[in-house]
Amino acid sequence: MTRYVALLRGVNVGTTRLAMADLRRIVTDLGHEDVKTYLQSGNVAFGSTVRDAEKLAAGIARALTDELALTVPVLVRSGRELAAIAGGNPYADREDDPTRLLVAFLATAPAKSTVDTLVVPGGENVSFTVTGREVFLHYVDGGYGRSKFTNAYLEKKLGVVATSRNWKSVRALAEMTAS
């Protein structure tokens, strides 16, 4: 049994509403075990014998559509991947405020050419590091809410689906999926 977390993009922050009890039920009904949600923003940790993260993500997305008529991008990371992310933030030692540190989880690794041209808009004081399927973000002068360097901006510039979580959530999800 491997521990995973499914990260749903755009749940309960805009018009897409999803009760966490429904999310837990759907993931449990798919045959996964020890299903737990974190916060109200579409984070669900679970155990599964399935070893293919893309298959897991597709199954959850399909079930959300079939049962609740929700079309929501779903990204899945294993507990091992989350542990590496939580232990590999290049900005963690520079910032005490976890709301200024975020990780954008990407559906796929972006093309090197798009990463090479990625810049922070408008001279904002944001540091970023793209590592595989994650972008580590440090909002030096403020939080994510006032920035133009957002999840939507990253999706547009990198050409991949993304969903972002603050550092407190990343650490909590890593703990929830630890073996």
Side-chain angles (χ1 to χ4, degrees):
M1 181 84 46
T2 302
R3 296 288 299 159
Y4 294 96
V5 68
L7 306 160
L8 283 61
R9 184 190 187 290
V11 169
N12 296 339
V13 292
T15 58
T16 302
R17 296 286 168 212
L18 174 61
M20 294 300 100
D22 287 337
L23 179 58
R24 286 189 299 275
R25 179 186 52 77
I26 285 170
V27 174
T28 300
D29 288 351
L30 289 170
H32 307 305
E33 298 178 14
D34 192 26
V35 178
K36 298 176 183 171
T37 53
Y38 177 73
L39 300 177
Q40 298 294 315
S41 56
N43 306 295
V44 58
F46 59 95
S48 182
T49 58
V50 176
R51 300 281 183 188
D52 184 337
E54 288 182 25
K55 184 176 179 181
L56 291 167
I60 293 168
R62 187 174 40 258
L64 288 166
T65 300
D66 292 348
E67 294 185 37
L68 302 175
L70 292 176
T71 302
V72 179
V74 178
L75 286 71
V76 171
R77 297 294 191 270
S78 70
R80 186 177 353 176
E81 289 171 313
L82 276 171
I85 293 163
N89 189 329
Y91 309 109
D93 63 343
R94 299 183 209 172
E95 182 62 62
D96 292 333
D97 183 351
T99 64
R100 292 184 182 210
L101 296 174
L102 281 84
V103 176
F105 295 89
L106 309 176
T108 60
K112 184 179 180 333
S113 59
T114 60
V115 172
D116 291 344
T117 60
L118 184 63
V119 295
V120 177
E124 294 181 32
N125 195 1
V126 178
S127 299
F128 68 92
T129 301
V130 180
T131 306
R133 295 183 302 155
E134 281 73 42
V135 182
F136 292 93
L137 302 160
H138 180 208
Y139 293 85
V140 179
D141 292 335
Y144 176 83
R146 293 181 294 232
S147 178
K148 293 180 183 171
F149 199 69
T150 62
N151 195 75
Y153 180 86
L154 288 169
E155 285 184 325
K156 181 179 178 183
K157 296 296 182 181
L158 297 176
V160 298
V161 171
T163 187
S164 298
R165 300 296 186 272
N166 70 34
W167 192 237
K168 181 178 178 183
S169 292
V170 170
R171 289 187 313 204
L173 294 169
E175 288 176 20
M176 288 175 73
T177 57
S179 298

